[in-house]
Amino acid sequence: MSDIIQLLPDHVANQIAAGEVVQRPASVVKELLENSIDAGANTIKLIIKDAGKTLIQVIDNGKGMTVTDARLSFERHATSKIRSAEDLFSINTKGFRGEALASISAIAHVELKTKQDGDELGTLIKIEGSTVKHQDVTVTPKGTSLSVKNLFFNIPARRNFLKSNNVELRHIIDEFHRVALAHPNIAFVMYHNGSESFNLPTSNYRQRVVNIFGGKTNEKLVPVEEETEVLKISGFVGKPEFAKRTKNEQFFFVNDRFIKSAYLNHAINSAYEGLIKDGSYPSYFLNLTVDPKTIDINIHPTKTEIKFDDEHTLYAILRSAVKHSLGQFNIAPVLDFDRDNNLDTPYDYKNKGVSSPSVEVDRSFNPFQEETRTSKSTHIVASYKKEPAAQWESLYVGLESKGTKTERHFSEVEFESESENTSLFSEDKLVETTQTTYQLLNKYIISTIKSGMMILDQHRAHQRILYEGFLKHLTIKEAVSQQLLFPLTLEFSLSEMELLLQLKEDLEHTGFVFSAFKDNTISITGVPVNVPESEVSIILEQLISDVEQEVTDSNFSATDLLAKSMSKSLAIKTGQSLTKIEQEHLVNSLFACKEPSVSPTNRVTFITMSVDDFDKKFM
């Protein structure tokens, strides 16, 4: 029987390895940016075309490579980061597997230009599908320029699995933010389709956060500093009043490497316990410095997950450090009209010493002297009552002369008959007896039907009603808007602004009126009918969160996503009390919908219980 196991060719092995390293264009961006950082560059440019599907180019001014290193860098397991197995436990660089360039060159057209300082000419290498097509000397500045064109050109199935350009661009921006935040000492510039998206100069960490997420972020930040033998923490957390409905401003960096950790994230949330509302998420930008020997960063292909030796200690230190910073720096003036100003300490008494209170005693007081005390009190009461009696008597002067006129006046007044009052009372009684809806626990509405009883979830039912209403407005593009007395100005990050620009037309069809889109701010002069002004920011944040979760690519249009997101934000919440008229209107509106039985997220809106079901319970 012939052998069936054989070694795979190198180009096939590289394509398989590319499945781990390169999942989407953002993966290429991450690998190339990290290589530039390891090369010692202090200025890095990222150029993107068509969300990375056509071109991804990274240009740096690092130390460059020799001719031999440039050719060897595209071989598998060729790296300058480690020399022995022991180096895996003390890694301070970014990439170290030596598979990044080999995997990228296996599935794309790659062009490398590199030159070291002091060399007159650099090296040019062109590779297509792991095959070197061209190698020559070239004129190029110091550093390295690596272009990745036509990603997944030889794996069309993988290319078809890529999302839309908007989604892929968001992933690229996320990776760009993570790398830029971890290295504020490096200048980063990003271009997309010829226009500059980000220009981040060298700065301190606070300025880097503000440059990425907008100028008003500065007032939201609370510094966190803590240093122990096990862990050093530095960075910022957001004030509780600025908590967002999205998680796009949560960043952990361990030894300048971005990580995801649900365990450490729980430590942050527990520090904010009682300070933020449910459904809101705090912002944090925290750098954790630990001994490289106490962590294992080789447990995940993308290196975004790390295993710590002692997670419990890190949890306790991180939680206490954040709580301490929130208590120390989160000081805001409180406007409380119910507070008694007399309880405030005057500024003049700030540095004044405390004196002991003195007690005065009437040593001549004798409680057994009843006669004297009674006579005094009787005299006081008598003198008190004498004068008011004369005043009361003056009020009745001339009352007899006015009596006849008063009687004559009231005799001309016609009173309503008692029969009408009786009829009105009976109608009220009739309304109470014909009540058909009841609210249970401010969550469910119970309504009687011919066969028994119907129990309706008020939140899901209202979602369905609003969803079909918004969908109708978006389809016919005729929505009613209510104008605001003063324009509402909201601030978002650059990536969030791009999302809102893409959804601007659909938002206008629902009733929003925008007056300006400038830098990081938008001005709103009109909102849909029945939408409170205070809910506008919540609606837009929820919409951004839904779009970032890639709901738009689940065979649903942006119009459907917008209608779902707005209905979820504006629907009646659990715990809200409804009047009898509101309950009946909700029930009637639900059954006027096309699909009353399910919510926009395909969850049941109501259940029914027949009389037979009740009878079975009593058997």
Side-chain angles (χ1 to χ4, degrees):
M1 190 173 183
S2 60
D3 298 332
I4 60 174
I5 296 178
Q6 58 184 356
L7 292 174
L8 290 173
D10 288 341
H11 69 280
V12 177
N14 287 338
Q15 287 187 4
I16 295 173
E20 287 188 0
V21 180
V22 184
Q23 300 173 355
R24 58 191 345 142
S27 305
V28 177
V29 171
K30 175 181 181 292
E31 298 289 348
L32 298 186
L33 289 177
E34 289 181 346
N35 282 342
S36 296
I37 293 170
D38 289 337
N42 56 25
T43 300
I44 300 175
K45 292 182 181 179
L46 173 63
I47 301 172
I48 302 294
K49 286 185 179 180
D50 298 330
K53 298 175 183 178
T54 302
L55 172 67
I56 301 172
Q57 184 177 7
V58 174
I59 305 172
D60 66 62
N61 62 348
K63 56 188 176 183
M65 292 181 285
T66 63
V67 178
T68 305
D69 288 343
R71 183 63 181 268
L72 196 60
S73 64
F74 291 98
E75 298 295 328
R76 290 190 68 192
H77 307 304
T79 179
S80 62
K81 316 296 172 64
I82 57 176
R83 289 288 183 268
S84 62
E86 287 74 16
D87 295 339
L88 290 172
F89 302 100
S90 58
I91 293 175
N92 293 308
T93 54
K94 302 295 183 245
F96 57 84
R97 288 173 305 189
E99 293 185 359
L101 293 182
S103 300
I104 294 170
S105 62
I107 54 174
H109 298 167
V110 178
E111 180 178 303
L112 172 69
K113 293 181 181 179
T114 183
K115 184 174 84 74
Q116 288 187 325
D117 191 17
D119 294 345
E120 293 184 359
L121 295 173
T123 304
L124 170 64
I125 298 178
K126 293 183 179 181
I127 300 178
E128 297 179 5
S130 298
T131 304
V132 178
K133 297 294 184 179
H134 181 73
Q135 179 175 346
D136 202 353
V137 295
T138 185
V139 177
T140 183
K142 175 207 167 186
T144 302
S145 170
L146 200 147
S147 302
V148 179
K149 304 175 183 178
N150 305 321
L151 194 64
F152 298 124
F153 79 99
N154 54 354
I155 312 179
R158 288 293 300 275
R159 190 176 181 89
N160 292 335
F161 273 100
L162 293 179
K163 307 294 183 182
S164 63
N165 284 358
N166 294 331
V167 174
E168 295 299 340
L169 179 61
R170 287 200 300 274
H171 285 285
I172 291 175
I173 292 175
D174 287 343
E175 292 294 348
F176 180 80
H177 285 173
R178 293 166 182 174
V179 176
L181 282 172
H183 302 277
N185 58 328
I186 300 176
F188 290 89
V189 183
M190 176 178 170
Y191 299 92
H192 180 243
N193 290 341
S195 61
E196 184 179 273
S197 299
F198 293 93
N199 190 343
L200 308 175
T202 303
S203 61
N204 58 33
Y205 191 55
R206 190 182 194 112
Q207 291 173 333
R208 177 56 57 88
V209 173
V210 172
N211 289 337
I212 292 178
F213 294 100
K216 290 190 177 180
T217 309
N218 190 33
E219 65 187 42
K220 306 176 184 178
L221 300 179
V222 176
V224 178
E225 295 289 340
E226 187 68 39
E227 186 170 1
T228 65
E229 297 179 355
V230 180
L231 173 68
K232 178 182 178 182
I233 305 173
S234 64
F236 303 93
V237 295
K239 293 181 180 178
E241 58 265 31
F242 296 107
K244 307 187 69 175
R245 297 180 69 86
T246 60
K247 298 181 180 180
N248 56 356
E249 291 187 5
Q250 296 184 342
F251 294 89
F252 274 124
F253 301 97
V254 175
N255 296 350
D256 295 335
R257 182 190 295 271
F258 172 80
I259 68 158
K260 296 178 182 178
S261 174
Y263 188 68
L264 297 182
N265 181 71
H266 188 272
I268 302 292
N269 291 334
S270 62
Y272 278 87
E273 187 176 1
L275 299 176
I276 59 177
K277 297 183 294 185
D278 293 338
S280 299
Y281 305 98
S283 303
Y284 55 81
F285 313 88
L286 296 175
N287 296 297
L288 311 180
T289 304
V290 298
D291 187 353
K293 296 180 180 179
T294 62
I295 59 175
D296 185 2
I297 60 178
N298 198 24
I299 64 171
H300 194 275
T302 61
K303 307 297 181 291
T304 56
E305 296 181 10
I306 290 180
K307 182 173 177 57
F308 298 92
D309 283 353
D310 190 0
E311 284 187 330
H312 298 288
T313 302
L314 299 184
Y315 183 100
I317 296 174
L318 183 61
R319 179 177 179 272
S320 60
V322 173
K323 291 197 79 167
H324 175 72
S325 295
L326 289 174
Q328 185 176 3
F329 294 100
N330 187 28
I331 302 172
V334 178
L335 187 61
D336 189 358
F337 294 103
D338 297 330
R339 187 178 47 133
D340 188 357
N341 295 329
N342 296 325
L343 300 177
D344 294 340
T345 303
Y347 289 106
D348 296 340
Y349 286 77
K350 181 179 179 182
N351 299 319
K352 190 174 181 180
V354 179
S355 58
S356 301
S358 59
V359 180
E360 296 181 0
V361 179
D362 185 5
R363 300 187 182 275
S364 63
F365 174 72
N366 188 354
F368 298 101
Q369 295 179 355
E370 296 182 1
E371 296 179 359
T372 306
R373 184 178 57 183
T374 306
S375 60
K376 285 183 179 180
S377 62
T378 306
H379 173 70
I380 293 173
V381 172
S383 62
Y384 176 76
K385 290 184 177 180
K386 186 181 292 183
E387 186 174 352
Q391 294 177 355
W392 279 108
E393 290 175 359
S394 65
L395 296 176
Y396 294 95
V397 177
L399 186 62
E400 296 179 357
S401 61
K402 296 180 181 178
T404 56
K405 293 182 181 180
T406 306
E407 291 174 1
R408 190 181 304 113
H409 175 70
F410 277 108
S411 64
E412 299 174 358
V413 176
E414 294 182 1
F415 295 94
E416 293 182 358
S417 61
E418 293 185 358
S419 60
E420 293 183 5
N421 290 338
T422 306
S423 174
L424 183 61
F425 177 79
S426 63
E427 286 177 5
D428 285 343
K429 191 173 182 180
L430 182 63
V431 171
E432 292 179 2
T433 55
T434 56
Q435 175 187 338
T436 58
T437 60
Y438 303 89
Q439 191 174 24
L440 176 65
L441 301 176
N442 289 341
K443 182 177 182 181
Y444 300 105
I445 295 176
I446 301 175
S447 178
T448 57
I449 55 178
K450 289 183 179 181
S451 60
M453 180 179 68
M454 178 183 67
I455 304 174
L456 182 144
D457 188 307
Q458 64 183 34
H459 177 64
R460 297 181 187 176
H462 199 213
Q463 274 193 51
R464 165 55 63 177
I465 297 168
L466 293 175
Y467 169 72
E468 293 198 4
F470 285 129
L471 208 58
K472 178 181 178 182
H473 292 320
L474 287 166
T475 304
I476 64 177
K477 301 181 180 179
E478 293 180 2
V480 180
S481 176
Q482 58 183 359
Q483 298 300 307
L484 300 176
L485 185 60
F486 300 102
L488 179 63
T489 303
L490 301 175
E491 183 175 354
F492 298 94
S493 64
L494 289 176
S495 58
E496 292 172 343
M497 288 291 292
E498 288 189 6
L499 288 179
L500 292 175
L501 277 171
Q502 296 165 13
L503 297 169
K504 179 184 177 183
E505 185 177 353
D506 289 329
L507 285 170
E508 289 174 342
H509 292 157
T510 63
F512 282 97
V513 179
F514 301 97
S515 60
F517 269 78
K518 292 183 180 179
D519 298 331
N520 294 339
T521 59
I522 61 174
S523 295
I524 301 174
T525 57
V527 296
V529 178
N530 299 328
V531 174
E533 184 178 343
S534 58
E535 294 284 332
V536 173
S537 61
I538 298 175
I539 292 172
L540 295 180
E541 287 182 4
Q542 183 66 55
L543 177 62
I544 292 170
S545 175
D546 291 340
V547 174
E548 287 178 345
Q549 291 173 4
E550 302 181 30
V551 183
T552 50
D553 289 319
S554 303
N555 298 323
F556 290 101
S557 63
T559 302
D560 184 80
L561 169 64
L562 179 59
K564 283 183 178 178
S565 181
M566 291 185 62
S567 63
K568 181 167 58 176
S569 301
L570 294 173
I572 296 170
K573 302 297 186 292
T574 297
Q576 183 172 341
S577 178
L578 302 178
T579 63
K580 305 302 179 186
I581 298 176
E582 290 172 339
Q583 295 171 23
E584 294 179 0
H585 179 71
L586 188 68
V587 174
N588 296 333
S589 300
L590 176 65
F591 287 98
C593 295
K594 295 181 179 179
E595 292 289 341
S597 58
V598 292
S599 69
T601 54
N602 291 325
R603 304 180 72 179
V604 177
T605 57
F606 67 90
I607 60 172
T608 58
M609 296 184 69
S610 64
V611 177
D612 293 337
D613 295 331
F614 287 108
D615 292 338
K616 292 177 182 178
K617 298 291 183 182
F618 288 96
M619 283 183 173

